[in-house]
Structure formats: C-alpha cells, structure tokens
C-alpha cells in the first residue's frame, strides 16, 4: 500500500515568515496526526483529526499554528508567523479508526518535513 | 498524567552482545504499548506492539505491569540494528500516542 506522503521534505524560512506543509494519508485512514519533533526529543502531538473533525489540538500553539483537513483526506499545517523555536521536523501520520481495526493499531508515518527557521 | 520514560539517550554495544532498551510508563490502567524505530534517513515505523507478543527482527518486549515497564530486548545485536528507538503508549479510544524521548542505539562492529 502507498505510504503517507508529505511535502516539502525540507524548508528554510526566515523568522516571521509563513510556511505550509501538506500531508496525504494512507487511503481509508480516518485518523490523521501532525507531530512536531524537535532535535533530541520524541514526537509531540500538535493536532489529531478524525475524518475532518479535530479530536485533540490542546498542544497546538493556536496563535501561530493552524491546520485543516478538508474532506477528511489531505491535510495542511500552517505556521504564521514562524519563530526560531519552530525549527523541527513536522511529521504526519495516519491510522485506522479504532473501530475499523482488526488487530492492526499502528500509526503510519510520513518522511517528515524538516523546517529550519533562521 | 500518562508519561513514557526512556532513561538512556544513547546506548552503545558491540555486535553480538545483548541489547536492552529501557522503557517505563506511568498509567494506572491497562495501556497499549509500542516500540517504534527510525533508521537513518528513513521514516518512523512500528517495530512491535505488546498485544501481539511477537518477535520482530529478533527483538522482543514484555509488558511488566508490576514494574510499569516495556523494555526492548535482543540477545545478539547486529550492526543494522543501529537506529533511534521510541517507546510509546496509547490509553484511550482516540489512540493518542504518548512518546518517550527516544534512545539512540549504536552497534559497534
């Protein structure tokens, strides 16, 4: 099966600029996650969608970050304006709904987008 | 609050030696635990999950509820095992993963 696709792979921007990341999950996966992974740390959940609804965005810095998942498929994550501390790898992952799962419960990850804010 | 702790940031062992990557969690109920691995220049991927009680690439992990641990073990390390390893748990129906900080495993020839 095709994996989770993310673009771009790399992005360098200046602070206070805007940036957007795109994610295409595995076909049929209702749940989509955006994670931020800062160097030396584990992934930190930013937002979780179930179809096109938000399940959890408690750790999303809403003053500068936004995300949407139109039609319950692709998703975009935006940062506006970016800060130096936003430099990280942004990971998108998808999984089946728990009710859909028959033993397979893992999240599948994209390659990530490495953001450098200078 | 739920938490996953991986006490070692770096673990270096010689090829052929046993490996144990430690993972401790805090949760009073019955969690679902996972080990994910990230090889150099590759995406994060599931290695194994406790409910499957499986051995993948020679690795096993046993959930010890008394010690709240889920340590990853392999009796004989291979050079291709060098990677970042993350322990994670999920406790709710929304399948929100809670991650440890990761352990970098280096297998020396």
């Amino acid at each position: 099966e095709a994996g989770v696709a993310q673009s771009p792979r790399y992005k360098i921007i200046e602070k206070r600029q805007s940036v957007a990341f795109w994610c295409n999950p595995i076909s049929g996966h209702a749940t989509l996650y955006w994670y931020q992974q800062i160097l030396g740390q584990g992934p930190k959940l930013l937002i979780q969608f179930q179809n096109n609804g938000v399940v959890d965005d408690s750790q999303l810095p809403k003053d500068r970050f936004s995300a949407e998942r139109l039609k319950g498929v692709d998703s975009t994550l935006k940062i506006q304006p970016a800060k130096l501390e936003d430099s990280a790898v942004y990971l998108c992952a998808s999984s089946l709904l728990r009710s859909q799962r028959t033993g397979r419960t893992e999240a599948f990850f994209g390659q990530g987008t490495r953001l450098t804010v200078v | 609050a739920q938490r996953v702790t991986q006490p070692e940031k770096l673990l270096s062992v010689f090829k052929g030696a046993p490996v144990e990557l430690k993972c401790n969690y805090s949760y009073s109920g019955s969690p679902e635990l996972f080990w994910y691995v990230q090889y150099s220049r590759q995406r994060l991927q599931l290695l194994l999950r406790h409910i499957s009680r499986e051995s993948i690439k020679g690795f096993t992990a046993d959930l010890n509820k008394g010690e709240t641990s889920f340590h990853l073990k392999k009796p004989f390390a291979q050079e291709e095992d060098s990677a970042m390893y993350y322990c994670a748990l999920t406790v709710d129906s929304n399948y929100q993963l809670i991650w440890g900080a990761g352990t970098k495993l280096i297998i020396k020839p």
Side-chain angles (χ1 to χ4, degrees), chain A residues 46-109:
Chain A
L46 292 175
I47 189 167
Q48 178 180 346
F49 291 96
Q50 192 158 294
N51 295 310
N52 59 348
V54 175
V55 172
D56 186 339
D57 64 355
S58 57
Q59 297 192 86
L60 187 74
K62 298 179 185 66
D63 57 331
R64 298 184 301 105
F65 286 64
S66 65
E68 60 182 10
R69 191 182 184 198
L70 299 174
K71 300 181 181 179
V73 182
D74 292 5
S75 178
T76 56
L77 175 70
K78 297 179 182 177
I79 307 175
Q80 181 179 9
K83 293 185 176 181
L84 296 176
E85 57 261 37
D86 298 332
S87 294
V89 175
Y90 290 85
L91 297 168
C92 179
S94 70
S95 70
L96 291 168
L97 274 175
R98 187 170 281 268
S99 61
Q100 295 173 292
R101 301 189 189 109
T102 53
R104 299 202 66 185
T105 58
E106 76 245 46
F108 293 83
F109 284 81

Side-chain angles (χ1 to χ4, degrees), chain A residues 15-37:
Chain A
K15 60 183 179 184
R16 290 188 289 273
Q17 284 189 321
S18 302
V19 65
F21 312 127
W22 173 82
C23 173
N24 180 234
I26 292 174
S27 177
H29 281 193
T31 305
L32 184 147
Y33 315 80
W34 281 103
Y35 289 92
Q36 180 192 59
Q37 187 173 21

Side-chain angles (χ1 to χ4, degrees), chain A residues 36-42 85 87-89 114, chain B residues 9 84 86 101:
Chain A
Q36 180 192 59
Q37 187 173 21
I38 292 172
L39 188 65
Q41 299 180 19
E85 57 261 37
S87 294
V89 175
R114 183 178 297 277
Chain B
K9 283 198 167 183
M84 280 293 297
Y86 295 94

